[in-house]
Amino acid sequence: MLASFDSHLFWSALTSGPYWRGALTALELTAASLATAIVIGFFAALGALSERRGIRGLTWTYNWLFRATPTLLQLFFIWYALPQLWSGFASSWFTPFMAAWIALSLNEGAYMSEIIRAGLMSVDPGQELAGRALGMSRRRILRRVIVPQAVRIAIPPTGNEFITLLKLTSLASVISLHEILTASQELSAVKFQYTEPLLAALVYYLAIVSLLMVLQSRLERRYTFTSAGRGRRRRRVAPAAVPAISHDAR
Amino acid sequence: MSVLRAFDVTKWYDDLEVLRGVTFDVEPGQVKVIIGPSGSGKSTLLRCLALLEEPDRGEVTLEGRRPGPGEVGMVFQRFNLFQNMTALENVMCGLVEVKRLPKAEAREQATAFLDRVGLANRASQYPDELSGGQQQRVAIARALVMKPKAMLFDEATSALDVELVREVLDVMESLARDGMTMVVVTHEMRFAHHAASSVLMMDEGRIVEEAPPDEFFSAPKEERTQRFLALVE
C-alpha cells in the first residue's frame, strides 16, 4: 500500500512556502486569539463573580451565546453578516485573518472566562482577607496575590484551549484564510494526491503543539511556589476543579 | 487614655445578631485576652476592630479616629500567608504595596522583622515549605513591619500542632513585654494567666465580664464565666 507513497512530494510539501506561511498564519491566529480571549475571559470572569446582578447577567449571556452556538456559524456570521450590518466592516482592513481573529477571540473568551473563574475561585478567601488586613486595595490584592495563584491553576486547561484553538484555525479555511489545511488542499488539487499533502499538514500541527507543550511546562514551573522545587519537584497542591468543557463539537 | 476603642459595636449576619452593642477600651501597652465559647462573637469583634467587617451600628476608633491601613495588625488562625510569595516577600508586601517604600528599603526592614521572630534563615522559603509555627511567626512579622499601634490575634495558635504552639506564644509574650497593645482571642488559659492585663468573657455577642487575670480566674463573678472556666480548665 505504501508503495504509492511519494516521499519526494511529502518533503517538498513540508518545505514549501504555502505550508510555512500557512503554519505561521495558524500560529499567529492562535496566539492572537488566545491572548485576546484571556483578556476578555479575565473581565468576563470578574463579571461572573461580581456582586452586581446586571453584570453577572451580562457575562452569563455572553458565555451562553458563544458556547451554545457552533464556532463555524460564528465565523460565518462575522465574515459575511457583519459587513452587511455595519458598513465599517465592509472595507479592506477586514481581512479573513481579522474576521477569524475576532470570531475565535469572542468564542474562546467564553471558554477562558470559565477557566479563569475556576482559577480565581480556587484561591483561599483567607488570602484576600490577609491583604485587606494589611490595607491593600482590592485591585492590588487581585494583581499581587490572587491572580498569580489563579494562573497556576489555569495553565493546564489553557494549554488545552491553545490546542483546541490551533485546530479551530483550520475552520478559517472556509473564509479563504490561507492556513495549513488550505495549503494541503491546494496541493492535493494540483497533484491528485492526498496522503502526502495531508501528512505534511499533520506534521505541522504536531510540531506546533510540541512547541506549546515545552512552553507550558516552563510556565508551570515559573508558577510553582516552592523554592527548592522550582523546576524539579512536582507540586503537592492538588489541581482545582475546573469545569469540564467538551471540545468535540465547537 | 485608650488607644483602641470599640463603641456600641453591633453586627448582624442576616437575622443573627452576632455582636450586641459591644463597648470596650484598650489602653496603650495593655494586653486584653478575650475568651468565650465558639459563636460568642469574639472573632467578629476582632474583624470589626481590624476593619475587615463594617459594624452595622457603633464605631471603632484608634486614637480617636478611624484606623488607617496597617495601623491595626491582624494575625489569623490559619496564618493566611500569601502562598505565591516567599517569607521575606510576605513581610515586604505591605511596605511595598501599601506604604510604597522602595524595594531595597522594604527588604531591609522586612529582614529585621523576620529576624525578630527568629526566621531570618527562612527568608527565601515559601509558606508551603514552612511549619505551621514558622508560618504564623512570618504572619506576625508581616503585621509588625507595618508598625501597628495595636495587634489583634484571632486564635493564632488554634491551628497548630501542640509542640508548635510554644514558639508562637513566645513571640506573642515578647511582644507584650515590649509594650505592644494587643487584643488576643485564645483558648490558651496559661497565656491569659500570665500575659493578660485583663481578661474578658464573651457570650452571645456581649462582654459578660472583664477582670484582671488573677481575679478573673480565681473568683469569677458571673455564673456564665464560672461555667465556661469549669469546662476549659
Side-chain angles (χ1 to χ4, degrees), chain B residues 82-137:
Chain B
F82 302 132
Q83 296 292 313
N84 58 319
M85 300 181 196
T86 63
L88 183 67
E89 286 165 349
N90 263 282
V91 183
M92 286 169 66
C93 189
L95 296 176
V96 175
E97 302 294 336
V98 180
K99 295 204 166 172
R100 305 301 186 92
L101 288 190
K103 279 233 166 124
E105 200 176 320
R107 181 170 292 120
E108 202 175 302
Q109 289 188 26
T111 307
F113 276 87
L114 266 187
D115 195 32
R116 159 130 204 222
V117 297
L119 289 171
N121 59 336
R122 301 282 174 175
S124 59
Q125 290 194 293
Y126 284 83
D128 266 5
E129 303 165 319
L130 300 172
S131 73
Q134 290 169 335
Q135 287 190 57
Q136 194 60 296
R137 280 146 68 198

Side-chain angles (χ1 to χ4, degrees), chain A residues 7-198:
Chain A
S7 61
H8 177 72
L9 178 60
F10 175 72
W11 282 111
S12 70
L14 209 55
T15 52
S16 71
Y19 271 83
W20 267 111
R21 284 192 295 277
L24 204 62
T25 303
L27 190 58
E28 279 169 2
L29 183 57
T30 305
S33 303
L34 188 64
T36 313
I38 287 171
V39 175
I40 296 173
F42 177 71
F43 287 104
L46 289 186
L49 296 171
S50 168
E51 281 166 15
R52 306 236 295 268
R53 250 185 107 180
I55 293 179
R56 282 207 310 274
L58 204 69
T59 53
W60 185 90
T61 310
Y62 164 70
N63 277 2
W64 168 72
L65 192 65
F66 282 92
R67 296 199 303 167
T69 55
T71 313
L72 190 58
L73 189 148
Q74 295 165 17
L75 195 62
F76 277 153
F77 193 90
I78 284 175
W79 178 239
Y80 294 113
L82 207 57
Q84 288 190 343
L85 292 171
W86 197 352
S87 61
F89 286 92
S91 114
S92 61
W93 69 267
F94 195 59
T95 58
F97 186 90
M98 276 291 187
W101 182 15
I102 294 171
L104 292 182
S105 296
L106 287 170
N107 176 272
E108 185 54 39
Y111 291 89
M112 279 310 300
S113 84
E114 288 295 274
I115 290 172
I116 293 169
R117 188 170 66 93
L120 293 173
M121 288 195 313
S122 76
V123 179
D124 176 9
Q127 299 283 300
E128 187 188 345
L129 217 52
R132 282 174 53 211
L134 278 181
M136 289 168 77
S137 66
R138 286 265 156 109
R139 187 181 283 220
R140 278 188 177 259
I141 295 170
L142 199 62
R143 202 164 105 194
R144 300 287 183 218
V145 179
I146 295 177
V147 168
Q149 294 181 49
V151 165
R152 185 184 69 199
I153 303 298
I155 290 172
T158 304
N160 269 349
E161 292 306 300
F162 181 98
I163 293 172
T164 304
L165 211 45
L166 176 69
K167 292 185 283 195
L168 281 178
T169 59
S170 64
L171 285 184
S173 63
V174 300
I175 61 166
S176 69
L177 182 79
H178 291 270
E179 41 72 67
I180 308 171
L181 201 62
T182 327
S184 81
Q185 280 176 328
E186 282 171 356
L187 192 62
S188 297
V190 177
K191 301 282 183 184
F192 302 107
Q193 290 286 343
Y194 289 93
T195 314
E196 299 81 359
L198 286 174

